[in-house]
Amino acid sequence: MEDKIRYPEIDFFIRNIIKGETGHLKKMEEYARLRHIPIVQAETAALLKVLVNIHRPQRILEAGTAIGYSSGIMAKAMSENGMIDTIEIDEETALLARDNIRELGLQDKIKVIVGDALEIMQCLYSSYDMIFLDAAKGQYNEYFAEAFRLLRPGGLLVSDNVLYKGLVAQSGPVLHKHRTITMKLREYLVELCRSDQLETAVIPIGDGLAVSVKKGEKNE
Ligand SMILES: C[S@@+](CC[C@H](N)C(=O)[O-])C[C@H]1O[C@@H](n2cnc3c(N)ncnc32)[C@H](O)[C@@H]1O
C-alpha cells in the first residue's frame, strides 16, 4: 500500500539509507511487490527490529501473517529460544508463509496458526511479551481487549496501519469507501492514547505505527 503520510523525499532518503534485507527475505519483498501483497515497509521493518532488540521478547504474537515477512524479520532479531505465534485467515497464504519460513530456516521459531485473529486470540491463554497487530484494520478495536489480556505487564503492543494513508489525521471529509475504517482507527487510537494502563507513541512511519507499553509492576 502506498503511504501518503510523509514527504516523498524523506521516504526516499530513509529507504535508501536503511540496510536492506538479503537472501530469501529480499526475494519475499520482491514477491510481495509484484503481487501487491501488503507487507511492512522498510522503515517499519527497521523499527520492528530495533524494538525486538531493545525489548528482547521471548514470545511474540502476530495477527496477520501474509507471506511471513514481518514474522521472519522479528524472529531473526529474537534470541535463540524466542518463539512467534502468527495468525493468518487465508489458508493458501498461510501455506505460502510456512514455505517461506522453512526457506528462512525459522520453522522451529515461528508457528503459523490458520484462522480469524479475533477468534484465535479468544482461545489463547498464555501470555506474550510483544503483540504485533497487522490483520484486519477494521477489527483493531475488537482485537484490543484480547491483546491487552494476552500481553504481560511491561509488554509491547505494536499496531500497524493506524494512520491509514494519513486519512486518520485528516481534518476534512474522507471518501465514503474509507470512512468506516478511518473512524474505527481514530477510535482505536483514542483508546490506546487515553488508556491509563498503557503508554503509547504514534509514529508516522510506513502507514502509521502505534507502539504501546502495558504498564505493570516494572513501569507503573
Ligand atoms: C498487511 S497483511 C500482513 C503483513 C505481514 N504482517 C507482513 O508485514 O509481512 C494482513 C494479513 O492479514 C490477513 N487477515 C485479514 N483479516 C484477518 C483476520 N480477520 N484474521 C487473521 N488474518 C487476517 C490477510 O489475509 C493478510 O494476509
Side-chain angles (χ1 to χ4, degrees), residues 38-40 62 64-66 69-70 87-89 115-117 134-136 143:
I39 59 171
V40 285
E62 174 181 66
T65 314
Y69 180 77
S70 52
I87 311 167
E88 172 55 51
I89 199 163
D116 173 71
D134 195 18
Y143 295 160

Side-chain angles (χ1 to χ4, degrees), residues 74-114:
M74 292 189 287
K76 275 175 162 269
M78 289 172 93
S79 64
E80 214 168 297
N81 47 0
M83 290 291 300
I84 299 183
D85 290 331
T86 178
I87 311 167
E88 172 55 51
I89 199 163
D90 185 75
E91 273 184 45
E92 270 186 39
T93 308
L95 284 177
L96 195 57
R98 285 193 185 118
D99 286 346
N100 282 322
I101 288 162
R102 215 170 297 121
E103 196 66 44
L104 291 166
L106 295 169
Q107 64 277 14
D108 296 332
K109 292 182 87 153
I110 304 174
K111 183 166 95 182
V112 180
I113 304 168
V114 182

Side-chain angles (χ1 to χ4, degrees), residues 7 21 27 65 67 75 86 93 125 127 141 148 150 172 191 203:
Y7 297 100
E21 300 302 334
K27 284 188 192 155
T65 314
I67 59 170
T86 178
T93 308
Y125 287 94
S127 75
N141 296 293
F148 189 82
L150 291 167
E191 176 145 32
I203 306 168

